[in-house]
Amino acid sequence: MQDTPETAELAKRAEEASQHAKQLRAELRKKRKADKLKLQQQLGAELLKFTDIETVSQLRSYFEKELNQEAQQDIEAQQLAIEVNSFADQLTWNEQRQYWQVADLRALTDWLATHRSRH
């Protein structure tokens, strides 16, 4: 099959469009990279306003400390849920009075007392 002038022109236009698309993708990558750098600089400036962090190692230790605290809080929340479930599993339904009865009221109130916000 021979190229006609029309198909040659279309092939040329397709190649130009392909090159233009590559150029646009490169420009978009460059813009995204610049936007990301700008955001990182803004975040860094905001972080410095709220903390006394001055070095990368201080930043790492700050986040390690925060992540460890979050992990500890998660563990405490899981433990609390386990304890609540153990009391809930011991509830029995009083058909006559139509309410749930606590199996060991003293243990429940003692446990609740350990979680008071005011002593």
Side-chain angles (χ1 to χ4, degrees):
M1 187 166 143
Q2 278 187 316
D3 283 342
T4 63
E6 294 84 22
T7 58
E9 180 64 26
L10 289 175
K12 181 180 173 187
R13 284 185 184 173
E15 181 60 30
E16 288 172 355
S18 175
Q19 293 300 323
H20 185 67
K22 285 182 185 178
Q23 181 184 4
L24 289 175
R25 283 193 294 272
E27 289 173 9
L28 183 60
R29 280 192 302 273
K30 189 175 180 181
K31 182 180 180 333
R32 285 181 181 159
K33 189 174 182 179
D35 289 346
K36 183 179 179 181
L37 179 60
K38 183 179 177 182
L39 177 62
Q40 289 171 342
Q41 290 170 340
Q42 289 173 339
L43 289 173
E46 289 295 317
L47 183 65
L48 290 175
K49 283 182 188 177
F50 296 108
T51 64
D52 294 327
I53 295 173
E54 296 175 354
T55 65
V56 173
S57 62
Q58 286 177 332
L59 179 65
R60 281 192 183 108
S61 65
Y62 174 82
F63 281 114
E64 285 173 0
K65 179 182 167 190
E66 291 297 316
L67 291 174
N68 287 338
Q69 285 178 349
E70 274 187 30
Q72 183 62 36
Q73 288 173 347
D74 287 346
I75 290 169
E76 290 170 2
Q78 289 174 353
Q79 182 61 36
L80 188 62
I82 290 169
E83 292 172 3
V84 167
N85 284 339
S86 72
F87 284 110
D89 289 342
Q90 295 174 23
L91 291 173
T92 55
W93 178 251
N94 185 322
E95 189 65 42
Q96 182 181 7
R97 294 186 178 171
Q98 298 291 306
Y99 67 89
W100 289 96
Q101 286 183 277
V102 177
D104 188 351
L105 186 58
R106 182 178 188 103
L108 176 61
T109 56
D110 288 344
W111 178 78
L112 288 172
T114 63
H115 296 286
R116 291 175 41 142
S117 59
R118 290 181 285 149
H119 294 26

